[in-house]
Amino acid sequence: MKQEQSFDIPLHDIKNIVDVDEYSLYYFLGASFLALLLLIVVSYFLYKWFKKKEKFNLRKENYKALNNLDFSDAKKSAYDITAYGATFKDDSPRHLEMYLNLTNRLEAYKYKKEVGAFDDETIGYIELYKGMIDV
């Protein structure tokens, strides 16, 4: 005869289920939030730094170039003054009039193979025009 098997074996070493307090998800979310916040702050400062670094002011650069001109080569200086001075000619009607007067005076130093040095009157006009510029 077949014996019936009993499934009611007493268990002696197994304990009941106990609730375990698990906070690792909260720790992970907190660390992720702090890392994201740190990334945003660093990105903001990098953006501000690159934006400040890349800022280019044509007026300021042309003003520096006008002030650093070497008058020993009158022909090159005449072309440079005409090019850099054009940036400021539309500031006011006075600037335009002075620029046109200055370019007319500089015509004598352009379009020729050999030119002499600037005369004192032309240098005076150049300095006066540079003095009118507001950057």
Side-chain angles (χ1 to χ4, degrees):
M1 239 176 142
K2 226 177 193 185
Q3 252 183 354
E4 278 207 32
Q5 191 174 7
S6 171
F7 291 106
D8 294 330
I9 302 173
L11 302 173
H12 299 288
D13 292 335
I14 299 179
K15 309 243 183 217
N16 291 335
I17 296 176
V18 179
D19 287 336
V20 176
D21 295 331
E22 179 63 39
Y23 298 111
S24 62
L25 176 64
Y26 300 116
Y27 294 146
F28 175 72
L29 290 176
S32 299
F33 175 73
L34 287 176
L36 182 63
L37 185 65
L38 182 65
L39 182 67
I40 289 171
V41 168
V42 168
S43 299
Y44 173 75
F45 283 117
L46 283 174
Y47 171 75
K48 294 291 271 184
W49 183 68
F50 279 117
K51 188 171 181 175
K52 181 181 178 186
K53 184 180 175 183
E54 292 177 2
K55 192 180 287 186
F56 179 76
N57 189 344
L58 180 65
R59 291 177 59 86
K60 194 178 284 188
E61 293 298 319
N62 285 352
Y63 183 69
K64 281 184 202 175
L66 274 175
N67 283 326
N68 294 331
L69 282 177
D70 180 25
F71 292 145
S72 62
D73 185 7
K75 183 174 184 171
K76 183 177 180 330
S77 295
Y79 282 110
D80 289 343
I81 292 167
T82 304
Y84 297 139
T87 306
F88 309 103
K89 71 177 180 179
D90 296 325
D91 288 354
S92 72
R94 249 183 73 217
H95 281 87
L96 179 61
E97 181 182 338
M98 184 63 183
Y99 176 75
L100 293 176
N101 190 359
L102 182 61
T103 54
N104 286 338
R105 290 193 173 276
L106 292 175
E107 290 292 323
Y109 300 96
K110 298 180 188 178
Y111 314 118
K112 294 182 181 176
K113 193 170 192 179
E114 296 291 327
V115 294
F118 287 132
D119 61 345
D120 292 336
E121 191 175 345
T122 305
I123 291 177
Y125 273 92
I126 293 169
E127 294 301 324
L128 181 63
Y129 186 69
K130 289 191 318 189
M132 291 174 60
I133 297 172
D134 293 324
V135 178

